[in-house]
Amino acid sequence: MDFTPTEEQAAARDLAARIFGDLSTPERLAAAGTGSDSETWKALCAAGLVAAVADTGLLGLVLLLEEQGRTTAQVPFAASCVYGLLAVSVHGSPEQRERLLPGIGDGTAVVCGAVFEPGGVRADAAGRLSGVVPVVPWLRDATHVLVADDRRRLWLVRTADARCAPVELTAPWAAGRLTLDGTPGEPVGGTDAYDDVLATARTAFAGLQAGVCAGSLARAVEHTNTREQFGRPLAAKQGVQLRAADAYMDTEAIRVTAYEAAWRRDEGLAYTTHALTAAWWASEAGQRVVHAGQHLHGGTGADLEHPVHRHFLWGRQLDAYLGCGSEVLQELGELIASGEEET
């Protein structure tokens, strides 16, 4: 295993870090409310960072999402890359790739996903979908949504053809309720597409969680080094050091498991169990880290307007989105026990 970024991946990561750092300031995020930051999204697309994921692979995307997570930038980066660019690149037909990828790459088309809980949507023989998906992150920004039906087949649906109602989540992810009533959909991929897209999503959002945790911890370190109590910085206290050290180790565990799953996918190796492992760490350890980040701020951490609270909300939302740790661990255990060859 070699997780060292290529020159292209490192350049894309550094560019993303500059864009997120310059534009996703606490003041701008507060002004955006629960919606997306359209200026940051336009800057990312204009810089070619969405389109670049087709070349930098899933590991490259994970590196970019880490930078997004550090600032909790409110853009549909992970969703559009996973459910749009990567899904269509790998599983789309030549005609779909030619028609859809340019728009996804330049940001004029935004794709979100309703794949984590298949079963609520049914498709008839004509490819018309019916059902309700209660919560779809970034649906309010999307031009298309990738939907999994009850048979785990993937369909791409235009949001203009469906009913989309706003839904507020813990984190400001511009989510919505998707209602399909004989809505036309176009199939994407074959029988193996669902498992691949799900594993890709788990890996990517684990990478996003690594960034969220790193950002939370960085704020906690800055606060405890500058805040004094009885004439000494809080960081000088052993209890604070131990709590921060545990959070650091958890963050590194999320990062390295996400890197491994992404690297294996890019190398064409089996990675389903590795994606589940990354999701488990992101869910279980992620919520520990963002809780620690808030607690290490003391009374300041109770301020809902403080930037560290955003990391707390994002960390808890990602925990719920990926599936709580016990659910992911059960799925991983069942997969290992079955002895089935993973994809």
Side-chain angles (χ1 to χ4, degrees):
M1 294 180 290
D2 183 4
F3 305 149
T4 304
T6 65
E7 184 176 343
E8 185 179 18
Q9 289 170 337
R13 177 197 60 199
D14 294 344
L15 178 57
R18 288 198 298 273
I19 292 174
F20 286 129
D22 290 344
L23 297 181
S24 294
T25 61
E27 295 76 18
R28 282 180 52 83
L29 292 173
T34 62
S36 294
D37 184 346
S38 59
E39 184 176 341
T40 300
W41 180 243
K42 289 177 182 177
L44 291 168
C45 295
L49 289 175
V50 176
V53 172
D55 298 319
T56 60
L58 183 54
L59 181 55
L61 176 59
V62 166
L63 293 170
L64 298 178
L65 292 177
E66 272 194 88
E67 300 307 323
Q68 179 188 358
R70 292 180 200 276
T71 61
T72 61
Q74 292 172 200
V75 290
F77 199 4
S80 204
C81 286
V82 169
Y83 303 121
L85 191 130
L86 291 178
V88 173
S89 295
V90 176
H91 302 289
S93 66
E95 186 277 331
Q96 287 175 323
R97 292 196 292 269
E98 182 179 359
R99 170 167 50 89
L100 296 169
L101 290 180
I104 298 172
D106 65 22
T108 55
V110 176
V111 185
C112 62
V115 303
F116 268 86
E117 296 182 7
V121 175
R122 296 179 181 275
D124 63 19
R128 294 188 172 273
L129 310 178
S130 298
V132 176
V133 184
V135 177
V136 182
W138 307 110
L139 182 63
R140 291 174 357 224
D141 293 332
T143 58
H144 298 77
V145 54
L146 190 67
V147 179
D149 67 14
D150 58 335
R151 296 171 60 186
R152 298 196 171 193
R153 296 174 299 180
L154 296 179
W155 304 84
L156 195 64
V157 175
R158 295 196 317 145
T159 53
D161 297 331
R163 294 202 303 274
C164 306
V167 172
E168 296 302 336
L169 301 180
T170 301
W173 283 6
R177 175 186 176 92
L178 178 69
T179 302
L180 305 171
D181 186 9
T183 306
E186 56 176 307
V188 177
T191 56
D192 61 338
Y194 174 81
D195 289 337
D196 177 62
V197 170
L198 181 61
T200 300
R202 283 170 165 157
T203 304
F205 282 96
L208 181 59
Q209 182 76 300
V212 169
C213 292
S216 175
L217 184 58
R219 292 189 181 279
V221 169
E222 180 182 9
H223 175 78
T224 55
N225 274 285
T226 56
R227 176 76 170 178
E228 291 190 358
Q229 188 178 66
F230 305 116
R232 300 177 62 200
L234 290 174
K237 298 182 180 296
Q238 188 178 48
V240 172
Q241 295 171 2
L242 292 174
R243 190 74 186 277
D246 286 342
Y248 175 80
M249 294 300 293
D250 274 338
T251 301
E252 288 301 296
I254 300 169
R255 176 182 289 116
V256 73
T257 52
Y259 282 9
E260 181 179 10
W263 175 83
R264 291 182 67 89
R265 180 190 184 276
D266 291 344
E267 293 295 313
L269 303 172
Y271 75 107
T272 300
T273 57
H274 300 80
L276 279 165
T277 301
W280 181 83
W281 274 105
S283 177
E284 192 77 4
Q287 57 89 14
R288 287 199 299 264
V289 174
V290 295
H291 272 272
Q294 193 163 14
H295 290 167
L296 288 172
H297 278 75
T300 306
D303 181 1
L304 302 185
E305 303 301 320
H306 194 283
V308 77
H309 190 64
R310 287 186 160 277
H311 294 272
F312 175 77
L313 295 179
W314 276 64
R316 293 313 306 261
Q317 188 64 57
L318 283 163
D319 170 29
Y321 187 59
L322 289 165
C324 73
S326 58
E327 292 176 339
V328 176
L329 190 62
Q330 179 180 348
E331 185 177 347
L332 176 60
E334 291 173 350
L335 180 61
I336 294 173
S338 70
E340 295 180 1
E341 182 69 22
E342 59 177 62
T343 57

